Amino acid sequence: MGAPDYPPRFDEDLVRPFYDGLAAGELRLPHCARCGTVHWYPPEVLPCHPDAAPEWRTVSGEGVVYSFTTIVRSLLPGDDNTTTPYEVVLVEPDAAPGSRIVALLCDGDGRSPACGLRVQLSPVRAGDHFLPGFRPLP
Ligand SMILES: [Zn+2]
């Protein structure tokens, strides 16, 4: 499985703690500091408590595949399609029901993605950064 070398946008610090967590092999999600609700994708203002700040916490890297697709032709700028095909999954972390993280499916050992597949965080190095990746649990 290839990984597109397409760096995240860090022009704002909104998602940097998420990517810092991936580099450390951890899944970090933003929680409301007041009520503990997880908000993914991180909003600039928390809808539950607009005056509260997000608090990034490390959570379990296990979750379940909510949906998936196979990329057979990359449309990323400058991509020469040497990394295709690869699978992209929407993962609902156990620690954040209702939240869905776009990620790569990796180390599948020939297993096809499926809705309901149990997965574990497995960040994927792509150049000088990491992308969210998950591998199937046995
Ligand atoms: Zn709240």
Side-chain angles (χ1 to χ4, degrees), residues 28-126:
R28 296 178 186 163
L29 296 176
H31 294 67
C32 173
R34 187 168 301 166
C35 71
T37 301
V38 177
H39 296 281
W40 186 259
Y41 190 81
E44 290 188 30
V45 176
L46 299 177
C48 58
H49 291 97
D51 58 334
E55 185 177 276
W56 288 83
R57 299 180 195 161
T58 299
V59 299
S60 163
E62 291 190 15
V64 63
V65 171
Y66 176 81
S67 186
F68 64 92
T69 190
T70 300
I71 305 298
V72 294
R73 180 173 163 241
S74 174
L75 299 176
L76 294 174
D79 196 318
D80 60 5
N81 283 304
T82 56
T83 60
T84 54
Y86 60 90
E87 274 108 18
V88 174
V89 290
L90 268 183
V91 173
E92 186 169 302
D94 291 347
S99 299
R100 293 174 189 136
I101 298 171
V102 177
L104 297 166
L105 184 67
C106 50
D107 304 327
D109 293 329
R111 293 174 65 183
S112 298
C115 296
L117 179 69
R118 298 279 310 152
V119 290
Q120 168 72 46
L121 181 72
S122 181
V124 176
R125 177 179 282 282

